[in-house]
Amino acid sequence: MEQRTSKVYHILWTALPYMGLIVWGALCITDNLWYDEAYTAALISHPLGELVRITSQDVHAPFYYILLKGFYTLCGGGPHFWPLKLFSLLWMFAYMLLGKYGVKRLYDEQTSVYFMLFSILMPSMCVQAGNARMYAMGLFFFTAAGLLACGILKQSSSAKWILLSLCGIGSVYSHTFSMIETFILYLILLGALLYRKKYALLKWYLASGLAVGLCYMAWLLVVYRQMQTRIASAGANEQLFVPDMYTLMDYCKEWFSAMDTPIMSVIYLGMALTLFLGYYAVDRMRSSKCYIPGWGMGILGLTALTGGLLSYYVTPCFLGRYIFPGFGALALFYAVGMKQISSLRVRAAVLLVFVCCFAAQYRSELKLEYDPGLQEYEAFFESNVGQEDMIMATDIHPLLLSVYHPDRQYMGYGYLPPFSPFRNTSVFTQWEQLRDVTGNIWLYGFAHRDMPDFAPYYNIEQAFRFHYMYYDFVICRLTPAEPLE
């Protein structure tokens, strides 16, 4: 019986990375982009110098975008955006290989299987796996750094320290909050080295820490300037980042489900499963005297606390998904807890609940990725929008549709932030700018927001409404009421 069970685990250990590739791959073969993904698509269309300049005015390091630009170019570029999502999928696959080999080396094959299984079944993983953003890359680098740090504590080598430094550099340049997670990881590693009296390794630790710190120092100054800019220009949209008594539930939506399309049953079951498996994980750590899963959860908790405090006391800057690069620690926490459960029935029940949560969220993500709204919009655009027409957006967010027709003229109404990456876009501030428009003027906005008033020169006629992913768009045509003077 035991031999048969071991064989089943080995088959799963071999197959799970490819199962993840198939499951997540279904979310990575469409051209549907939400705003942040469209931001990414627009940004990598710029030359490298402009790309770095724009990111230095926003809140992200350019490392991910530079790599993505190269990958997108190798895939042929053009108006199709599946390579952007494929790039994230490849990082997720690499992360699964870390779970396959790294977790097995750290624990055993069974724990590795549970790590990979929970990584596939966590709803937040399927949300981010096909997301054309830097989170999957950050997940890989931070997980690799964490596993290397644990490996160093077991048996140090110069190769591990060099790899830790390289992964640390990749992690800090993936996202501002993966930088914070990496900083806390290094602090925990220092504490562990001192506690175990491995003083001979401190010279390696200092060299690795200095290498990562010096490589990040130039961008750290940019991050400081970005924080100052946020403080000076905090606006209505940024108030969404300020924590209040309801914020923890907003964070839980992104940790256990999805922020914009949350499924409340999935959220509550995810929280309950975390507490349930956490009990067994703590029991395993207590009996084995190996506290690695607890350290990982501590990193997640401290990073979330840091983000909340920064948002409340300094400047609004934190959303729940920002700690996602550390979610390999959550998968390990689940896996260690699952391994400690002796009852096969209880394990089966836990997996069943996870599968149900995953299925509900995965279905929701599939509906988004295959939303027909983009095709409806394209049909309207091809039939109604001419080469001489001007397209205006009520703010930067409706401009996401510009990535599908980057050769057309666009305007942002009243204001665009300096980090706007959308090309062929100017800012409408005075009537005279519309004098030379020989075609129609189309106004893009969201149905739940008030449209700007163009009286007395133009009337607004609603021409088209459609739903696309998270948004209800409305497209209006401006018709002259009287000549401009």
Side-chain angles (χ1 to χ4, degrees):
M1 180 65 179
E2 185 176 343
Q3 186 176 3
R4 184 183 300 174
T5 302
S6 298
K7 187 175 182 180
V8 171
Y9 277 112
H10 185 71
I11 293 173
L12 288 172
W13 180 82
T14 303
L16 278 172
Y18 304 99
M19 291 173 61
L21 200 61
I22 294 170
V23 168
W24 295 327
L27 303 170
C28 302
I29 55 177
T30 73
D31 288 334
N32 283 7
L33 303 176
W34 64 293
Y35 171 76
D36 281 10
E37 293 177 307
Y39 180 100
T40 298
L43 185 57
I44 64 170
S45 69
H46 290 267
L48 283 178
E50 290 184 24
L51 186 155
V52 173
R53 178 186 60 80
I54 293 171
T55 54
S56 69
Q57 295 175 323
D58 195 4
V59 293
H60 305 303
F63 180 49
Y64 162 77
Y65 299 108
I66 292 172
L67 293 181
L68 179 61
K69 182 179 178 66
F71 180 80
Y72 186 62
T73 302
L74 288 175
C75 290
H80 300 293
F81 300 115
W82 58 264
L84 308 185
K85 301 181 181 185
L86 177 61
F87 190 65
S88 293
L89 179 64
L90 294 178
W91 287 111
M92 293 296 291
F93 181 67
Y95 158 79
M96 289 292 282
L97 294 181
L98 289 176
K100 180 176 181 177
Y101 297 107
V103 175
K104 179 181 177 180
R105 189 174 292 115
L106 189 63
Y107 282 95
D108 52 44
E109 191 167 280
Q110 189 175 351
T111 305
S112 173
V113 166
Y114 284 131
F115 177 93
M116 292 187 286
L117 191 59
F118 285 128
S119 293
I120 295 173
L121 294 179
M122 267 196 284
S124 55
M125 290 286 188
C126 74
V127 172
Q128 298 298 341
N131 196 351
R133 301 292 287 161
M134 69 290 295
Y135 301 112
M137 186 180 79
L139 177 69
F140 168 80
F141 279 118
F142 181 76
T143 303
L147 290 173
L148 285 164
C150 295
I152 285 169
L153 290 175
K154 294 183 72 172
Q155 185 177 2
S156 176
S157 69
S158 57
K160 288 179 181 177
W161 281 107
I162 292 171
L163 287 173
L164 173 63
S165 302
L166 293 175
C167 290
I169 293 169
S171 182
V172 298
Y173 270 107
S174 294
H175 193 276
T176 302
F177 281 89
S178 65
M179 177 270 291
I180 295 173
E181 288 173 333
T182 307
F183 176 73
I184 298 172
L185 172 66
Y186 267 82
L187 288 181
I188 291 176
L189 178 58
L190 175 61
L193 291 173
L194 293 175
Y195 179 77
R196 298 188 179 188
K197 299 181 180 180
K198 295 189 175 186
Y199 303 125
L201 298 181
L202 290 180
K203 61 181 180 181
W204 283 101
Y205 173 85
L206 291 174
S208 176
L210 282 173
V212 176
L214 289 174
C215 286
Y216 191 70
M217 187 59 66
W219 197 257
L220 185 63
L221 297 175
V222 176
V223 172
Y224 176 77
R225 189 181 72 235
Q226 291 169 345
M227 297 283 281
Q228 296 303 308
T229 302
R230 274 185 170 273
I231 293 172
S233 62
N237 288 337
E238 290 178 330
Q239 295 306 311
L240 297 173
F241 294 81
V242 178
D244 57 28
M245 63 183 296
Y246 302 106
T247 300
L248 180 60
M249 181 52 68
D250 287 337
Y251 294 162
C252 287
K253 290 177 182 178
E254 294 203 281
W255 296 340
F256 301 108
S257 180
M259 182 63 193
D260 294 295
T261 53
I263 302 173
M264 297 310 297
S265 59
V266 171
I267 296 170
Y268 291 128
L269 286 172
M271 296 166 68
L273 287 168
T274 302
L275 293 174
F276 182 78
L277 289 176
Y279 169 82
Y280 288 97
V282 170
D283 187 55
R284 173 76 181 276
M285 288 187 285
R286 180 189 57 80
S287 61
S288 66
K289 306 298 182 184
C290 178
Y291 301 104
I292 290 172
W295 296 344
M297 294 300 288
I299 291 173
L300 288 179
L302 288 173
T303 305
L305 178 62
T306 301
L309 292 175
L310 282 173
S311 283
Y312 192 82
Y313 289 106
V314 182
T315 182
C317 63
F318 184 63
L319 291 174
R321 61 178 172 268
Y322 291 171
I323 69 167
F324 179 79
F327 263 40
L330 182 58
L332 182 61
F333 192 69
Y334 287 156
V336 169
M338 191 71 162
K339 177 72 183 299
Q340 188 69 3
I341 300 174
S342 58
S343 171
L344 290 178
R345 290 184 177 181
V346 174
R347 289 190 191 185
V350 170
L351 286 177
L352 179 61
V353 176
F354 260 102
V355 168
C356 291
C357 290
F358 164 78
Q361 195 68 54
Y362 189 66
R363 179 175 178 270
S364 174
E365 292 305 307
L366 284 175
K367 288 178 65 177
L368 285 172
E369 287 298 333
Y370 293 90
D371 189 317
L374 179 61
Q375 286 70 42
E376 296 171 8
Y377 165 69
E378 290 281 14
F380 170 84
F381 191 96
E382 294 301 323
S383 301
N384 295 276
V385 182
Q387 286 289 342
E388 302 302 321
D389 291 0
M390 167 66 72
I391 302 169
M392 188 184 301
T394 54
D395 57 65
I396 191 173
H397 287 87
L399 276 173
L400 74 90
L401 295 172
S402 68
V403 298
Y404 296 105
H405 303 97
D407 57 326
R408 299 303 179 93
Q409 292 179 291
Y410 292 87
M411 276 190 178
Y413 180 81
Y415 169 77
L416 284 179
F419 52 80
S420 171
F422 299 107
R423 308 191 72 171
N424 301 327
T425 303
S426 56
V427 181
F428 169 72
T429 56
Q430 51 189 345
W431 297 109
E432 287 73 13
Q433 292 173 265
L434 304 181
R435 284 185 186 275
D436 298 329
V437 178
T438 57
N440 289 316
I441 301 174
W442 303 95
L443 181 65
Y444 287 21
F446 294 134
H448 64 282
R449 297 183 186 174
D450 293 333
M451 303 295 277
D453 186 8
F454 288 85
Y457 299 110
Y458 290 93
N459 298 318
I460 298 180
E461 298 177 354
Q462 187 174 127
F464 186 59
R465 289 177 68 121
F466 67 104
H467 178 82
Y468 171 55
M469 297 194 77
Y470 306 114
Y471 316 103
D472 288 303
F473 281 99
V474 59
I475 298 178
C476 298
R477 179 170 44 231
L478 302 188
T479 56
E482 59 181 79
L484 293 178
E485 296 180 359

